[in-house]
C-alpha cells in the first residue's frame, strides 16, 4: 500500500471522527450537558445539535421524564417511643439540568436521603396511633418540606406517596396483647354491668312482690272484716243462723280430715250443737 493511500485513509477516518464528534442527535426526553475545555458551555435539547469537535465534550446525559425513586424501608421512632416501619416512593422531574449536575453530586441519592430524613422527622413528632392513621398528612408535610431543597437541585417533586407504614414485629405483638387485654377488660366490665343490672332488677322484683303481698294481705283482711261485719249485721241477736254456718264449716273440715290418707281416727264431739253454741258464745263474748 502506498503512502498516499495511507494518508488518504487516515484523513478520511479523521474527518469521519470529527463529524461524529461535531454532530449529535439528542433523543426526546433527554437533555445533554456540554462542557468546553472543562467548563459548562451549553445544554443540548432534543434534536440535531452541532458541536465544535475536540473542544466541546458531552459531560452528562440527563433524562427529563418523570423519575421514580424508591425510598427504602426504615425504622422510625414515634414520640411515644414506638418503633414503626415505613417506606415511600417519590416522583421527581429534572427541570434545570445545570443545577441537577452541578448543584449536587448525585441528585437521585440526594433526594432519596432527604425524603428518608424528613420522613423520620415528621413521624417522630407524632404518636403511634396518629402516625398509623395520618398517611395523607404525612405525605403533604413531606412534599412541602423537600420542595425547596429539590428546587435548589433543579428538581421538581411531583408527588410523594407513603407505600407502607406499620408497627415493627415486636410492636405488633405488644399491640395484639394490649388489644386482647382490652377486649378481656371490656368483657369483664360488660359481665359485671350485666350482673349488677340483674341484681337490681331482682331486688326490685322482690320489693314489688313484697308490696303486692302486703297489699293482698291488707285487702284480704279488709274483705274478711267486711264479711264478718255483714254476717254479724245479718244475724243480729239470733244464734241459729250462726250455728248453721259454723256447723256447715265444721262438717266440711271433718270431711276433709276424713279424706286425708294420713288420718286414721277422727274424734267428733258428743254434742255437736252444744259445741257450736259454745263457740258462738265465745265469739259473742269477744265481740
Amino acid at each position: 500500500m502506498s503512502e498516499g493511500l495511507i494518508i488518504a485513509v487516515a484523513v478520511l477516518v479523521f474527518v469521519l471522527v470529527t463529524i461524529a464528534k461535531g454532530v449529535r442527535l439528542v433523543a426526546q426526553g433527554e437533555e445533554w450537558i456540554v462542557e468546553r475545555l472543562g467548563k459548562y458551555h451549553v445544554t443540548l435539547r432534543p434534536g440535531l445539535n452541532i458541536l465544535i469537535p475536540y473542544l466541546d465534550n458531552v459531560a452528562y446525559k440527563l433524562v427529563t421524564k418523570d423519575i421514580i425513586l424508591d425510598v427504602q424501608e426504615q425504622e422510625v421512632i414515634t414520640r411515644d417511643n414506638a418503633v414503626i416501619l415505613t417506606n415511600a416512593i417519590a416522583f421527581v422531574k429534572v427541570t434545570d439540568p445545570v443545577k441537577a449536575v452541578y448543584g449536587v453530586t448525585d441528585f437521585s441519592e440526594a433526594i432519596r436521603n432527604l425524603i428518608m430524613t424528613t420522613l423520620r422527622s415528621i413521624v417522630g413528632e407524632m404518636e403511634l396511633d396518629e402516625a398509623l392513621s395520618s398517611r395523607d398528612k404525612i405525605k403533604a408535610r413531606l412534599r412541602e418540606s423537600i420542595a425547596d431543597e429539590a428546587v435548589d437541585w433543579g428538581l421538581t417533586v411531583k408527588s410523594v406517596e407513603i407505600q407502607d407504614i406499620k408497627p415493627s414485629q415486636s410492636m405488633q405483638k405488644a399491640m395484639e396483647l394490649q388489644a386482647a387485654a382490652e377486649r378481656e377488660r371490656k368483657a369483664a366490665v360488660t359481665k359485671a354491668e350485666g350482673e349488677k343490672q340483674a341484681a337490681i332488677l331482682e331486688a326490685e322484683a322482690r320489693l314489688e312482690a313484697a308490696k303486692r303481698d302486703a297489699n293482698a294481705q291488707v285487702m284480704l283482711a279488709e274483705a274478711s272484716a267486711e264479711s264478718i261485719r255483714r254476717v254479724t249485721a245479718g244475724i243480729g241477736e239470733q244464734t241459729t243462723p250462726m250455728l248453721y254456718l259454723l256447723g256447715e264449716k265444721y262438717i266440711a273440715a271433718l270431711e276433709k280430715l276424713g279424706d286425708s290418707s294420713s288420718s286414721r281416727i277422727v274424734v267428733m264431739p258428743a254434742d255437736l250443737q252444744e259445741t257450736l253454741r259454745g263457740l258462738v258464745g265465745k265469739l259473742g263474748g269477744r265481740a
Side-chain angles (χ1 to χ4, degrees):
M1 184 179 294
S2 63
E3 294 181 359
L5 182 58
I6 294 175
I7 294 173
V9 172
V11 170
L12 180 60
V13 171
F14 176 77
V15 170
L16 293 176
V17 171
T18 301
I19 293 174
K21 286 182 171 291
V23 179
R24 295 297 178 92
L25 291 175
V26 180
Q28 186 67 35
E30 295 183 359
E31 291 187 6
W32 296 1
I33 299 297
V34 176
E35 294 179 350
R36 177 171 291 177
L37 301 177
K39 183 180 179 181
Y40 169 74
H41 176 60
V42 69
T43 301
L44 302 184
R45 308 297 178 179
L48 181 63
N49 294 269
I50 305 299
L51 301 179
I52 298 176
Y54 309 108
L55 294 180
D56 295 339
N57 176 49
V58 178
Y60 302 97
K61 296 180 180 180
L62 301 180
V63 177
T64 56
K65 295 180 288 186
D66 289 348
I67 302 173
I68 302 174
L69 297 178
D70 188 14
V71 181
Q72 64 187 20
E73 187 176 74
Q74 60 177 335
E75 290 187 350
V76 181
I77 300 177
T78 61
R79 186 170 61 186
D80 52 351
N81 295 324
V83 180
I84 63 176
L85 302 176
T86 179
N87 61 350
I89 186 170
F91 299 88
V92 300
K93 182 180 179 65
V94 177
T95 54
D96 190 337
V98 177
K99 290 183 178 179
V101 296
Y102 296 113
V104 63
T105 303
D106 186 344
F107 67 85
S108 297
E109 189 65 22
I111 199 71
R112 185 180 290 110
N113 281 280
L114 179 62
I115 291 174
M116 292 178 64
T117 55
T118 306
L119 185 59
R120 283 199 301 267
S121 176
I122 293 173
V123 175
E125 297 174 358
M126 299 179 175
E127 294 187 354
L128 176 61
D129 294 339
E130 182 184 4
L132 295 177
S133 60
S134 303
R135 283 177 176 245
D136 292 337
K137 181 179 179 181
I138 296 173
K139 180 177 70 174
R141 288 187 57 187
L142 183 60
R143 185 176 184 277
E144 181 181 355
S145 299
I146 66 176
D148 293 338
E149 293 291 341
V151 170
D152 291 339
W153 296 335
L155 305 174
T156 297
V157 180
K158 305 189 72 173
S159 178
V160 179
E161 299 292 336
I162 304 298
Q163 286 186 300
D164 197 10
I165 180 168
K166 61 184 179 181
S168 62
Q169 292 184 353
S170 59
M171 282 301 304
Q172 286 181 355
K173 292 181 180 179
M175 292 174 66
E176 290 174 358
L177 292 176
Q178 182 180 2
E182 182 65 17
R183 287 193 295 270
E184 291 178 358
R185 185 189 68 81
K186 289 183 178 180
V189 171
T190 303
K191 182 180 179 181
E193 288 291 338
E195 292 176 350
K196 175 183 176 182
Q197 191 65 24
I200 293 174
L201 293 176
E202 184 179 356
E204 291 178 350
R206 289 198 304 268
L207 177 61
E208 184 66 21
K211 289 182 179 180
R212 290 180 179 271
D213 289 342
N215 291 334
Q217 291 177 5
V218 171
M219 293 176 66
L220 182 61
E222 291 176 352
S224 299
E226 181 65 21
S227 176
I228 293 172
R229 283 195 297 270
R230 290 186 180 184
V231 170
T232 302
I235 293 176
E237 299 297 331
Q238 299 179 5
T239 61
T240 303
M242 176 67 74
L243 291 174
Y244 174 76
L245 292 175
L246 290 175
E248 188 179 28
K249 295 289 185 181
Y250 190 76
I251 292 171
L254 289 176
E255 289 179 352
K256 185 176 181 181
L257 182 62
D259 292 337
S260 176
S261 59
S262 60
S263 62
R264 293 293 180 269
I265 300 175
V266 178
V267 180
M268 298 182 64
D271 190 350
L272 180 60
Q273 186 175 2
E274 291 299 328
T275 302
L276 294 176
R277 186 179 289 112
L279 291 174
V280 173
K282 291 181 180 180
L283 291 174
R286 291 179 181 180

